[in-house]
Amino acid sequence: MSNISAKKISGSSDDHWDQFAAKKHLAAEAEAANKSDNPAVALANARHVFGEHGGVNMSIEASATFTVMESETMRRMFAGELGPDRDFFIYSRHFNPTVLNLSRLMAAMEGTEAAYCTASGMSAISSVLLQLCSSGGHVVASHTLYGGTHALLTHFFPRACNITTSFVDIGDHEMVEREIVQGRTKVLFFEAISNPVLEVANVPELCRIAHDKGLTVVVDNTFSPMVLSPARLGADVVVHSVSKYISGGADIIAGAVCGPASLVNSMMDLHQGSLMLLGPTMNPKVAFELSGRLPHLGLRMKEHCHRALLEDHPEHALLKSIAHMDYGYGGIMCVDTGTEEKANKLMNLLQNCSQFGFMAVSLGYYETLMSCSGSSTSSEMNEGEKALAGISPGLVRMSIGYSGTLEQKWAQFEKALAQMS
């Protein structure tokens, strides 16, 4: 059936009833998909969308704009009376069927009511914070954040938006509470497992503190999809750099915002929506690719995490108490060599002598990726900020891949270490 003929002509006698029924059906569908605490089960429960001609994979809707059967329908779409919940689409910067399908899968995985997929992880973070904070607003955030996020909060938001941030030790809950300014602080922002020092956030307790003060809790779950479900632990919004573990191929740049339908709808508002007006739109061809990778994310995470498991981490007990045990404890390992010179020597040996991995930023690839955080992905931070976050000059972040055998990779690692002296 073509896209045109599949649309309902507005104005029929049961139009309003059908609109109610469609929304009720979608709500029930989302509830069924998200009711499981296990993200893999929730993904399996999500509605499977077939292709236009019955293909097991959904079709790619590559159109930028969409037609209607009658002019009155277009007016009603722009008025918000008809929308994607009833298969009415206006323009792909607003909603696109292929991107919307991926968004539903992301919502199911994270256990949220809705989601919206964006062109990058940074666009997801910035769009959420701009929607939740106005000029003069205030954010409390962890001082251990990805360098790009830290720069956004430290430099760009104060200059361009008059939004300021207080950075805190997310493990010091009294400090978190002290920095909240009643009536001005809008958001508590942190990473579930921090980049790069792997600090584990006590999500339930932090959510309790923030909600008692009327704040919205936004959690970046890029380092721990499947392992942690921040929304199921109390967070209001979960953001992702989908480019990392969810993509898994180091070939896609993408992001996602998962949260209440009211927030996602407000971000898509024609007059005030940060996503609608700033336009970080995901390409539907990218959404199609990612929709095919999400079903095996759980299998990939198990392998990543199995190879990076370190039970002597100081927050291992905390992570164990809030994580989904089926998926391990995260796929990142850090080695502190003390100096940047030693870090570079170790990475050179690991890549060029023992074939342990590649010197490259990012994470979630099937090969191990290594970078010296202080001079790369955290280079936006000054020396004082890095010291406060626990990022030493010689810290090597390793995203542990799953190619080869565990024994093979450990032997390669030991070979390089033996040449460090």
Side-chain angles (χ1 to χ4, degrees):
M1 185 178 288
S2 72
N3 194 43
I4 294 177
S5 60
K7 292 186 182 294
K8 182 174 179 64
I9 301 174
S10 66
S12 65
S13 60
D14 61 348
D15 195 49
H16 292 294
W17 168 253
D18 281 355
Q19 184 175 354
F20 169 77
K23 289 183 177 178
K24 187 176 180 181
H25 172 71
L26 285 172
E29 202 172 64
E31 183 181 358
N34 297 344
K35 66 182 179 181
S36 173
D37 285 340
N38 187 317
V41 174
L43 272 172
N45 286 340
R47 174 163 58 111
H48 187 94
V49 178
F50 295 97
E52 185 179 4
H53 302 290
V56 294
N57 294 310
M58 78 170 296
S59 302
I60 302 174
E61 181 50 83
S63 296
T65 191
F66 300 84
T67 190
V68 294
M69 293 294 290
E70 56 183 41
S71 57
E72 175 65 11
T73 302
M74 186 172 291
R75 182 200 66 76
R76 294 184 63 194
M77 286 195 292
F78 274 90
E81 297 172 14
L82 298 173
D85 57 330
R86 296 187 60 209
D87 201 31
F88 285 91
F89 295 90
I90 301 172
Y91 189 66
S92 279
R93 177 163 55 86
H94 188 238
F95 285 105
N96 173 281
T98 313
V99 179
L100 186 59
N101 179 60
L102 176 63
S103 299
R104 288 173 179 146
L105 295 176
M106 287 297 302
M109 182 184 78
E110 285 296 354
T112 59
E113 189 180 10
Y116 191 89
C117 294
T118 66
S120 70
M122 284 304 301
S123 68
I125 293 169
S126 57
S127 296
V128 165
L129 295 179
L130 286 171
Q131 194 66 33
L132 294 172
C133 299
S134 301
S135 176
H138 179 247
V139 175
V140 173
S142 170
H143 59 212
T144 55
L145 294 173
Y146 165 59
T149 308
H150 197 280
L152 177 76
L153 295 171
T154 305
H155 304 294
F156 184 84
F157 273 4
R159 175 184 65 79
C161 310
N162 192 30
I163 297 170
T164 57
T165 300
S166 296
F167 292 97
V168 298
D169 177 353
I170 211 70
D172 185 342
H173 297 161
E174 290 183 0
M175 183 182 186
V176 173
E177 194 161 4
R178 281 198 311 270
E179 292 299 320
I180 296 172
V181 181
Q182 199 68 35
R184 185 164 169 256
T185 307
K186 303 300 181 184
V187 172
L188 175 62
F189 182 92
F190 56 90
E191 295 169 347
I193 299 178
S194 70
N195 181 4
V197 298
L198 308 183
E199 182 177 9
V200 180
N202 189 332
V203 181
E205 180 61 16
L206 289 165
C207 290
R208 184 196 64 77
I209 293 169
H211 291 155
D212 283 349
K213 300 288 187 178
L215 274 61
T216 300
V217 179
V218 180
V219 180
D220 186 336
N221 200 31
T222 297
F223 267 38
S224 46
M226 310 297 285
V227 175
L228 288 171
S229 295
R232 295 182 175 96
L233 296 170
D236 302 293
V237 184
V238 181
V239 292
H240 277 277
S241 172
V242 177
S243 318
K244 310 304 191 295
Y245 284 115
I246 295 170
S247 164
D251 57 346
I252 282 173
I253 300 294
V257 177
C258 308
S262 58
L263 174 65
V264 173
N265 289 335
S266 73
M267 295 175 76
M268 295 307 299
D269 184 82
L270 295 173
H271 305 285
Q272 299 284 347
S274 57
L275 287 171
M276 184 63 188
L277 299 176
L278 296 176
T281 309
M282 177 181 280
N283 187 313
K285 295 171 185 175
V286 168
F288 174 82
E289 282 278 341
L290 291 168
S291 295
R293 300 181 191 190
L294 263 179
H296 50 74
L297 174 62
L299 298 174
R300 290 186 280 115
M301 287 306 297
K302 286 180 182 181
E303 278 301 307
H304 283 297
C305 295
H306 173 62
R307 291 158 185 257
L309 175 60
L310 293 173
E311 294 192 7
D312 60 350
H313 187 286
E315 288 156 344
H316 180 77
L318 169 60
L319 182 56
K320 190 174 182 179
S321 71
I322 60 176
H324 299 292
M325 288 298 96
D326 291 344
Y327 307 103
Y329 303 95
I332 305 294
M333 185 173 74
C334 290
V335 176
D336 193 346
T337 64
T339 67
E340 185 177 349
E341 181 182 5
K342 288 182 179 179
N344 290 335
K345 180 180 179 181
L346 176 61
M347 290 190 296
N348 182 64
L349 289 168
L350 287 168
Q351 174 178 282
N352 300 318
C353 296
S354 69
Q355 289 75 52
F356 175 76
F358 303 146
M359 286 184 278
V361 297
S362 199
L363 51 126
Y365 192 46
Y366 60 84
E367 294 282 0
T368 294
L369 303 180
M370 308 170 290
S371 60
C372 180
S373 297
S375 57
S376 59
T377 55
S378 296
S379 60
E380 296 92 338
M381 303 166 73
N382 63 39
E383 294 307 313
E385 290 165 341
K386 282 185 275 193
L388 197 62
I391 304 170
S392 83
L395 186 72
V396 178
R397 187 190 75 184
M398 300 179 184
S399 169
I400 305 300
Y402 50 79
S403 65
T405 66
L406 180 59
E407 294 75 19
Q408 175 191 18
K409 290 300 174 183
W410 186 249
Q412 292 170 336
F413 187 67
E414 287 187 318
K415 179 182 177 182
L417 283 180
Q419 299 178 63
M420 282 293 288
S421 55

